[in-house]
Amino acid sequence: MIGLISATAAGAAARDRLAAAWPDRTRVYDGPVRDAVRRAFGECEQLVCFLATGAVVRLVAPLLGGKASDPGVVCVDEGGRFAVSLVGGHAGGANELAREVGEVLGAEPVVTTATDAVGVPGLDTLGLPVEGDVAGVTRALLDGEPVALEAEVPWPLPALPVTDGRDEAEEGASGDEGDYVIRLTDRAVEPAEREVVLRPPSLVVGVGASKGAPVDEVLGLVEGALRDAGLSVRSVAEVATVDAKAGEPGIVGAAERLGVPVVTYTAEELAEVTVPNPSDAPLAAVGTPSVAEAAALVRGGELLVPKRKSERADGRPAMATCAVVRRPARGRLAVVGLGPGARDLLTPRARAELRRAAVLVGLDQYVDQIRDLLRPGTRVLQSGLGAEEERARTAVAEARRGQAVALIGSGDAGVYAMASPALAEASDDIDVVGVPGVTAALAAGAILGAPLGHDHVSISLSDLHTPWEVIERRVRAAAEADLVVTFYNPRSRGRDWQLPKALAILAGHREPTTPVGVVRNASRADESSRLTDLESLDLATVDMMTVVTVGNTATREIAGRMVTPRGYRWQERDR
């Protein structure tokens, strides 16, 4: 919950705007400001104070306990101009909250945390448990000192300005003088000096239990299995079992104490998993020869701890079994649409994915557009025109290596761009995220007026990948259906006959005066546009950087703008 505190009418107005935007996330604290801040500080995860910064500093100073436990505090001036991340920038989430508040109120977020200021992700903001010398290693990253990343377990981290790790001769020498290390591991190792240990959620614990198995017996079994195998309990991602045991108190309670969810599978699913230690007992009880091992292995991985039984001090039979599996990391592929070119048409989600990526794959000219948005350490794999399939294969291959990858395309990556070839290469062994972008057709439409106000279609006139016979059939269908048509890739030096042919097909179903909009480099610095008609279109003004939008029988030019009415009543009135 986010506590909101204000002292004046101006502050209360901004406070109420935020409360209205986030009714389920916020709580307004009234009364004397000092008491309101104290109550909110003790009850909320975050605070937004609509007060002077100095006043907030004096109010919260006596309440501060430690960066790991203090709520995040954001201070907004009464004019609503700035949202200042004051306390708990990383651990308390104040940096991100300042940005969110800024979006709602139109305020400028002010974030002074060193890592955020230079674009280096904070080691305590990666969503992974972190141990060790966070401050020292972070300072080394900021100062440009060598920091080795030793990933014992592949994981899709964002870009970090690190080296690839030490030579084999130095392997195991963590903490040697002069070395700074970020170690990504699920092993139960203590951080050395100058080392940070990140714990990926790579371990799955499969658990079977008899009815009424005590929580302490289940939890003790799991913790003992991890300890004996040299594995960290902080890397446990989930407890897995058969669905018949979904509500078993011992399993549920153990998972709660571990802070992880219980994931269940049907007996039929588990029975199909090959395990080293099947048994007749679970087969008779729940319908599968294995619960612990099968539940841990059902989604693949390396069996680190085979089935083991709990031990009871009273000598009675064990009531629980467990097994531990290390699942392979799932890489992440974000297919990102950059929009038509203007920076303000790049969506916030696209920006976030660019900054999350450790590997960027894209056409060289598109990479140049957004290179300044990448974090330090981002590996860039770029190529030229005509290498689309190669880029798609490269992006998928990097994701399969456990990397966080962004594959970029102009406009919307799913429209005549990289999403299609990438998803044709990808299988279900990686996570794929689609990030929509503003298409060239939409950008051109906004410049022309409202040509896409009714049913419309986009058709590429490039016959490099599609036979002309197919393209011609589609153009003819659009002409007969009276659809507004936007032509992509309309004309190049080597392909100058397709556009006249397509326009001739449309002209067989539309008047010569049908409006046609021509937009080149929509939204970019050298943008140009003109409104003409089917009869007067100058083909010399069209090239591969142009989109051509041809209206339907209802499209009109109104006050110099191209407009297709939502309905056809205008057409009826004109008759």
Side-chain angles (χ1 to χ4, degrees):
M1 186 60 67
I2 304 171
L4 306 181
I5 301 102
S6 63
T8 67
R15 176 203 68 192
D16 292 344
R17 286 173 56 200
L18 196 61
W22 298 340
D24 299 327
R25 298 178 59 189
T26 58
R27 180 187 303 159
V28 173
Y29 283 79
D30 293 317
V33 171
R34 185 178 300 276
D35 293 340
V37 169
R38 184 180 294 108
R39 285 186 288 124
F41 199 92
E43 297 171 359
C44 297
E45 291 82 19
Q46 296 174 319
L47 280 68
V48 179
C49 300
F50 297 84
L51 303 164
T53 307
V56 178
V57 169
R58 287 189 291 273
L59 288 169
V60 303
L63 308 175
L64 297 176
K67 63 184 299 182
S69 58
D70 292 333
V73 179
V74 171
C75 180
V76 179
D77 66 289
E78 295 185 356
R81 296 172 300 168
F82 303 102
V84 182
S85 174
L86 193 65
V87 173
H90 286 166
N95 291 351
E96 183 58 32
L97 180 60
R99 297 183 182 99
E100 291 184 82
V101 170
E103 289 181 7
V104 173
L105 301 180
E108 180 71 23
V110 179
V111 176
T112 58
T113 310
T115 50
D116 293 79
V118 300
V120 175
L123 298 176
D124 54 353
T125 68
L126 301 179
L128 303 179
V130 58
E131 304 166 14
D133 187 11
V134 175
V137 174
T138 299
R139 190 163 49 249
L141 290 171
L142 294 172
D143 290 345
E145 297 187 43
V147 178
L149 174 63
E150 298 190 350
E152 298 176 7
V153 180
W155 208 258
L157 295 175
L160 292 165
V162 295
T163 58
D164 292 332
R166 289 176 294 243
D167 295 336
E168 289 185 13
E170 299 178 298
E171 200 168 307
S174 295
D176 287 354
E177 186 175 355
D179 287 347
Y180 288 94
V181 179
I182 299 171
R183 183 184 297 278
L184 187 69
T185 182
D186 55 19
R187 295 187 299 114
V189 296
E190 291 296 323
E193 186 179 355
R194 299 182 178 224
E195 182 176 76
V196 162
V197 173
L198 298 175
R199 304 288 188 192
S202 55
L203 304 179
V204 176
V205 179
V207 174
S210 302
K211 184 175 182 180
V215 172
D216 289 342
E217 181 173 346
V218 177
L219 184 61
L221 171 64
V222 170
E223 290 179 336
L226 293 168
R227 183 174 55 252
D228 293 346
L231 300 171
S232 173
V233 70
R234 302 189 76 185
S235 280
V236 175
E238 63 190 45
V239 169
T241 191
V242 67
D243 58 4
K245 297 293 181 178
E248 186 63 44
I251 296 177
V252 173
E256 288 177 350
R257 292 194 197 178
L258 292 170
V260 299
V262 175
V263 177
T264 63
Y265 302 94
T266 66
E268 290 76 12
E269 289 176 299
L270 299 185
E272 294 179 358
V273 180
T274 301
V275 298
N277 300 292
S279 173
D280 292 335
L283 180 61
V286 293
T288 173
S290 173
V291 173
E293 288 181 339
L297 285 167
V298 67
R299 287 170 53 192
E302 177 188 3
L303 184 63
L304 302 179
V305 179
K307 182 179 71 173
R308 61 188 287 176
K309 297 181 180 180
S310 56
E311 296 180 0
R312 307 192 67 178
D314 58 9
R316 298 176 64 183
M319 298 187 72
T321 59
C322 83
V324 182
V325 163
R326 177 185 287 137
R327 282 191 184 155
R330 289 179 64 86
R332 188 174 191 276
L333 173 62
V335 188
V336 182
L338 301 180
R343 181 57 63 85
D344 59 351
L345 292 182
L346 179 69
T347 68
R349 188 178 299 180
R351 288 173 178 263
E353 289 296 344
L354 293 175
R355 296 182 68 77
R356 179 171 180 168
V359 180
L360 182 88
V361 182
L363 179 67
D364 47 14
Q365 63 190 51
Y366 298 152
V367 171
D368 291 340
Q369 289 179 20
I370 47 82
R371 193 183 294 273
D372 62 302
L373 299 178
L374 304 178
R375 289 192 187 276
T378 303
R379 187 155 55 97
V380 177
L381 304 176
Q382 63 186 47
S383 53
L385 286 169
E388 288 77 14
E389 293 182 355
E390 176 190 342
R391 285 195 293 274
R393 286 192 295 269
T394 298
V396 171
E398 290 291 330
R400 285 186 175 136
R401 293 178 54 233
Q403 298 287 331
V405 183
L407 174 63
I408 59 174
S410 68
D412 182 286
V415 179
Y416 302 125
M418 293 305 303
S420 179
L423 269 60
E425 289 284 336
S427 51
D428 62 359
D429 57 346
I430 62 173
D431 295 324
V432 178
V433 178
V435 181
V438 177
T439 67
L442 294 177
I447 294 165
L448 295 170
L452 309 182
H454 209 292
D455 297 335
H456 54 276
V457 64
S458 295
I459 298 176
S460 171
L461 294 183
S462 172
D463 56 0
L464 296 178
H465 299 288
T466 306
W468 173 252
E469 294 76 14
V470 175
I471 297 173
E472 183 174 348
R473 188 164 65 247
R474 291 170 180 172
V475 174
R476 197 173 304 281
E480 293 173 353
D482 198 29
L483 297 172
V484 175
V485 181
T486 297
F487 289 120
Y488 280 71
N489 305 312
R491 184 172 178 268
S492 68
R493 292 179 180 177
R495 296 185 303 99
D496 58 1
W497 58 267
Q498 288 92 338
L499 180 59
K501 178 70 172 177
L503 294 175
I505 294 171
L506 292 177
H509 299 266
R510 299 174 195 184
E511 296 295 328
T513 55
T514 299
V516 175
V518 180
V519 180
R520 188 177 189 278
N521 284 331
S523 87
R524 301 184 185 184
D526 54 349
E527 168 191 298
S528 63
S529 65
R530 62 190 297 261
L531 186 58
T532 181
D533 56 43
L534 266 177
E535 187 176 43
S536 307
L537 174 61
D538 181 3
L539 298 179
T541 63
V542 178
D543 60 13
M544 287 291 287
M545 306 302 293
T546 307
V547 290
V548 177
T549 301
V550 181
N552 66 9
T553 56
T555 305
R556 296 288 183 267
E557 179 181 344
I558 301 175
R561 302 180 184 92
M562 187 175 178
V563 180
T564 302
R566 180 64 183 85
Y568 288 96
R569 295 189 180 90
W570 290 8
Q571 186 179 21
E572 293 172 358
R573 284 201 301 268
D574 289 343
R575 290 176 178 172

